[in-house]
Amino acid sequence: QVQVVESGGGSVQAGGSLRLSCEASGYMRSINCMGWFRQAPGQEREGVAAIYAGGGTHVADSVKGRFTISQVNVADKRIVYLQMDNLNPTDTAMYYCAAASDTCYTKGMDYWGRGTLVTVSS
């Protein structure tokens, strides 16, 4: 079992920045990929960024150049950060962190957090 907990959401004006944190704990040896996803009201959940155990990363085209994903291992936990810069109102959504034993994709994640809300005002 793996537990995933997000933090760092909030309200910010357009052009501002936020850093989301995701703490994953449990049987982390089984986890190959950690990802950030988001879901705006009335829309489907979409992938934002992913980072693999070996350090490889992937960032969605819609946020490339503005969002950065990184991770650190602390004792038996993995902390994954999503640095979000130059935010705009279209980034408003619930942001979820998730863990996968294989590749990161929306329907392939094994463990999900409860989400953290990001609101960007114009």
Side-chain angles (χ1 to χ4, degrees):
Q1 277 287 0
V2 173
Q3 294 76 46
V4 179
V5 180
E6 308 95 336
S7 61
S11 298
V12 64
Q13 289 190 328
S17 298
L18 282 175
R19 189 176 79 161
L20 305 184
S21 299
C22 170
E23 185 173 299
S25 60
Y27 191 57
M28 293 306 297
R29 289 184 180 183
S30 66
I31 300 303
N32 181 53
C33 183
M34 298 289 299
W36 282 99
F37 300 80
R38 68 184 181 184
Q39 187 167 18
Q43 297 187 20
E44 293 187 355
R45 192 170 297 186
E46 64 174 355
V48 176
I51 188 164
Y52 289 84
T57 61
H58 173 77
V59 179
D61 288 342
S62 59
V63 302
K64 195 165 292 182
R66 301 189 297 120
F67 290 14
T68 305
I69 190 170
S70 61
Q71 67 182 359
V72 294
N73 293 310
V74 180
D76 58 346
K77 298 179 181 179
R78 189 176 307 173
I79 302 175
V80 180
Y81 299 104
L82 185 67
Q83 177 67 41
M84 307 186 294
D85 298 318
N86 194 21
L87 286 160
N88 60 65
T90 61
D91 296 315
T92 295
M94 185 70 80
Y95 283 71
Y96 298 91
C97 182
S101 59
D102 194 1
T103 304
C104 278
Y105 65 103
T106 307
K107 295 184 178 181
M109 308 308 286
D110 297 298
Y111 305 97
W112 289 88
R114 293 186 175 184
T116 186
L117 182 63
V118 172
T119 304
V120 184
S121 59
S122 58

